[in-house]
Amino acid sequence: MARPRRLNRAGLKRLGRRCLVAAIVLAAMPVALTFLYLPPFVHPVSTLMLKDLVTFSGYDRRWVSIDDVAPVLMHSVIMSEDGQFCFHRGVDLGELRGVVDDALAGEATRGASTITMQTVKNLFLWSRPLGSVRKVVELPLAVYFDAVMSKRRIMEIYLNIAEWGPGIYGIEAAAQHHFGVSALQLSRRQAALLAVSLPNPIARNPARPGPGLRRLANLIERRAGRSGAYVGCLE
């Protein structure tokens, strides 16, 4: 039985060049797509939405302009997900330092993802596995995305690709599915419930909240009511 031939040095070089070209192409795609996503008439889709299409699962997403989203919903999302959204440049360095300090001390780490980081993850990256590798890519992408995009456009894209339940993407589909109203008609309470369901939209149902989710919604509803300068970049 003939033994398989080993790659010679020239073959290894060709393989290395091909891998390098593939890596450059993959790295360049988010850079190019970011510019493609700048105009408001472009409606990006997330990698999860693409997965649902490929697997024939289907999904419900109805793109809506940021002008047709209740301001209280945006305020609630900022106060729940990323209180420094209007002030950082894609990455909240204070939160990130806290996570690194906790990790070095051997303590359980908390989340430090900003809305911008979540947006680039949803647009360009994967969820699991290799989450730590993804973070290394996610950080510079978030800084770049924030430098190119306005805060309003980042929020508009995020709200239209965020998952709010199995096969439910974007705030318009979420508002219709969970509460039977448009995104513009959401009440303060409904907005708070939708915001606090974002970290785990499969397990957290804003239309049927448990005691813990209701307590979180109470807190976010109060914070959104006095958000002031924290949401100034969306005005």
Side-chain angles (χ1 to χ4, degrees):
M1 182 176 177
R3 293 181 180 179
R5 289 183 299 176
R6 293 181 179 178
L7 286 174
N8 57 28
R9 184 172 297 179
L12 287 172
K13 286 183 177 179
R14 284 195 298 272
L15 179 61
R17 283 196 296 268
R18 288 171 184 169
C19 290
L20 179 61
V21 169
I24 291 172
V25 170
L26 287 174
M29 282 180 62
V31 174
L33 286 172
T34 296
F35 281 96
L36 177 65
Y37 295 160
L38 278 171
F41 58 81
V42 177
H43 301 168
V45 297
S46 70
T47 52
L48 279 177
M49 294 163 72
L50 290 174
K51 178 186 73 69
D52 285 347
L53 283 178
V54 170
T55 58
F56 302 101
S57 301
Y59 62 81
D60 184 8
R61 197 279 289 272
R62 312 169 203 185
W63 185 276
V64 63
S65 164
I66 194 171
D67 295 323
D68 294 320
V69 177
V72 70
L73 182 280
M74 293 182 281
H75 300 172
S76 298
V77 167
I78 287 178
M79 300 314 292
S80 177
E81 294 283 285
D82 181 8
Q84 298 299 311
F85 175 70
C86 286
F87 305 109
H88 63 62
R89 306 312 304 171
V91 176
D92 189 337
L93 294 177
E95 284 292 316
L96 192 60
R97 278 194 294 268
V99 170
V100 172
D101 290 344
D102 288 346
L104 292 175
E107 299 175 6
T109 58
R110 58 189 183 278
S113 284
T114 64
I115 286 172
T116 313
M117 289 169 65
Q118 292 176 57
T119 303
V120 298
K121 182 198 74 175
N122 291 342
L123 283 176
F124 307 127
L125 304 174
W126 60 94
S127 294
R128 293 182 179 87
L130 300 177
S132 57
V133 176
R134 188 201 72 219
K135 284 291 183 186
V136 173
V137 181
E138 190 178 297
L139 290 171
L141 262 182
V143 174
Y144 168 73
F145 201 75
D146 188 272
V148 174
M149 294 272 182
S150 70
K151 293 290 188 179
R152 280 178 62 84
R153 181 59 173 164
I154 293 171
M155 178 60 73
E156 183 175 63
I157 293 174
Y158 177 66
L159 292 179
N160 278 287
I161 63 174
E163 187 179 23
W164 259 292
I168 306 297
Y169 296 95
I171 188 55
E172 182 67 22
Q176 296 279 359
H177 176 80
H178 292 297
F179 298 114
V181 300
S182 72
L184 189 59
Q185 297 172 318
L186 287 165
S187 68
R188 290 187 304 168
R189 184 63 176 172
Q190 291 166 342
L193 285 166
L194 284 165
V196 298
S197 70
L198 274 171
N200 193 348
I202 304 303
R204 298 180 178 184
N205 187 332
R208 292 193 293 274
L213 204 62
R214 287 197 296 270
R215 284 194 296 272
L216 279 175
N218 289 339
L219 175 63
I220 296 306
E221 189 174 347
R222 290 194 299 271
R223 288 181 177 175
R226 53 177 186 265
S227 49
Y230 288 99
V231 298
C233 60
L234 300 181
E235 302 302 326

